[in-house]
Amino acid sequence: SSDLMLSAQEVLDRYNDLMVGTTPAETGYAREILLDHPHYYYRLREPDGTSGRFADWLTQSAGNRRALTIYNPPNIDYAQSSPVVGGSAVKFNGAAAARGNFSSESSSSQRELSFAFIIGPTVALPTANELIVGNHNAYEVMVTAVFRNTAGKLVLRTREIGIDTDYTFTTALAAGVRKFVVITLNKGTTKAKLYLDGTLVETLTTTDILLDQQASRASDYHETMIGGQVNDASNGVSLPFRGYLSEVAFFSYELPASRVKAHYDARSVV
């Protein structure tokens, strides 16, 4: 059927995905991330001139780049310190966000995922939920996103056919603290896991519902959200994050604990 046909760009994307992890040009932390075939990876190091985009929006491979557009760019501070050798962070000041579109997954049901990012130091505890990173398909029928709530706890939200479910980890991140964060979700095992600085610190039980039942439809697309949510009509930013972010990656499977630790251990590798 036409729903199963791939465009020329999607064929190229899948070829580039297969090539990832063989001989990545990057070294250190970035190399370890790329060895695990991220669906996207944004280092968030610097802006691309005056075009309102990041210069290093990822790079699974040279042929599979997806633009990451910055909204309210004056509200982002660049070239901030990072715990990763060769990296730097950006500071979101509570009014900016970045997002990018990319083609849909080929699978008809995505039952696993992982978000990885470096957070902090955050400015202060928020007065409302702040969106750190997220991913959704067309019309936001299916959404997965990570928030920081008013208690400084990380919340994994899934929206499946219009129904939101929040999984709140009990571990709080205090203001002024920097952490390497990985959150995984596996609908088959009904587990969501939180890793901090390479170590598993918490596991939550989830519901067993398909994450994305429309991923194979040619009309669907996926959109990345970093630092806030952008309103399509007004380009205004809601749920804005305040603090530092860097090295944001999304994987369409559950990262194993050994690879989470390998990422963290590579932070000081040149």
Side-chain angles (χ1 to χ4, degrees):
S1 72
S2 60
D3 281 352
L4 299 179
M5 294 179 64
L6 298 177
S7 68
Q9 181 60 53
E10 288 173 325
V11 171
L12 177 61
D13 288 348
R14 280 152 183 73
Y15 171 78
N16 287 326
D17 287 344
L18 289 173
M19 296 304 294
V20 175
T22 51
T23 54
E26 288 82 358
T27 59
Y29 183 87
R31 181 179 186 275
E32 290 301 320
I33 291 287
L34 292 175
L35 283 171
D36 286 327
H37 306 266
H39 193 63
Y40 61 72
Y41 175 32
Y42 297 108
R43 303 207 69 184
L44 304 184
R45 290 185 297 190
E46 60 187 24
D48 182 11
T50 59
S51 63
R53 297 179 184 231
F54 280 109
D56 55 359
W57 31 272
L58 162 75
T59 83
Q60 287 190 62
S61 59
N64 190 19
R65 295 172 180 265
R66 295 287 183 259
L68 189 64
T69 302
I70 306 168
Y71 292 79
N72 295 337
N75 290 285
I76 293 181
D77 296 329
Y78 303 95
Q80 305 297 301
S81 65
S82 167
V84 171
V85 171
S88 65
V90 295
K91 180 184 176 186
F92 287 84
N93 291 316
R99 72 175 183 178
N101 296 336
F102 49 94
S103 59
S104 63
E105 293 278 3
S106 59
S107 172
S108 61
S109 62
Q110 180 187 318
R111 300 178 63 84
E112 302 179 20
L113 62 80
S114 301
F115 288 112
F117 53 89
I118 302 174
I119 186 175
T122 50
V123 176
L125 291 179
T127 57
N129 279 356
E130 296 179 341
L131 189 147
I132 301 170
V133 59
N135 170 66
H136 67 76
N137 73 345
Y139 310 112
E140 299 188 14
V141 175
M142 307 292 178
V143 177
T144 51
V146 177
F147 297 84
R148 187 174 70 126
N149 69 13
T150 56
K153 298 177 181 180
L154 296 177
V155 180
L156 175 64
R157 173 173 296 174
T158 65
R159 176 180 300 162
E160 309 183 68
I161 322 208
I163 300 174
D164 286 348
T165 304
D166 286 353
Y167 303 106
T168 303
F169 294 98
T170 61
T171 305
L173 302 183
V177 173
R178 172 179 280 148
K179 290 290 182 181
F180 288 72
V181 177
V182 174
I183 291 178
T184 67
L185 181 61
N186 187 319
K187 291 289 183 165
T189 62
T190 64
K191 300 297 181 185
K193 298 178 181 179
L194 170 63
Y195 296 82
L196 296 177
D197 293 343
T199 300
L200 177 64
V201 297
E202 194 170 347
T203 302
L204 300 179
T205 299
T206 66
T207 57
D208 182 17
I209 302 174
L210 294 182
L211 277 175
D212 191 347
Q213 298 177 9
Q214 296 191 354
S216 65
R217 291 179 58 85
S219 61
D220 282 354
Y221 65 87
H222 287 246
E223 181 176 87
T224 258
M225 304 174 287
I226 299 175
Q229 182 169 328
V230 178
N231 182 285
D232 286 326
S234 66
N235 286 337
V237 176
S238 60
L239 308 172
F241 175 72
R242 292 177 301 153
Y244 298 80
L245 288 175
S246 62
E247 311 292 345
V248 175
F250 173 79
F251 303 83
S252 55
Y253 64 94
E254 180 184 5
L255 280 172
S258 60
R259 291 307 301 159
V260 174
K261 186 176 186 302
H263 296 174
Y264 179 70
D265 288 346
R267 67 194 184 282
S268 58
V269 176
V270 178

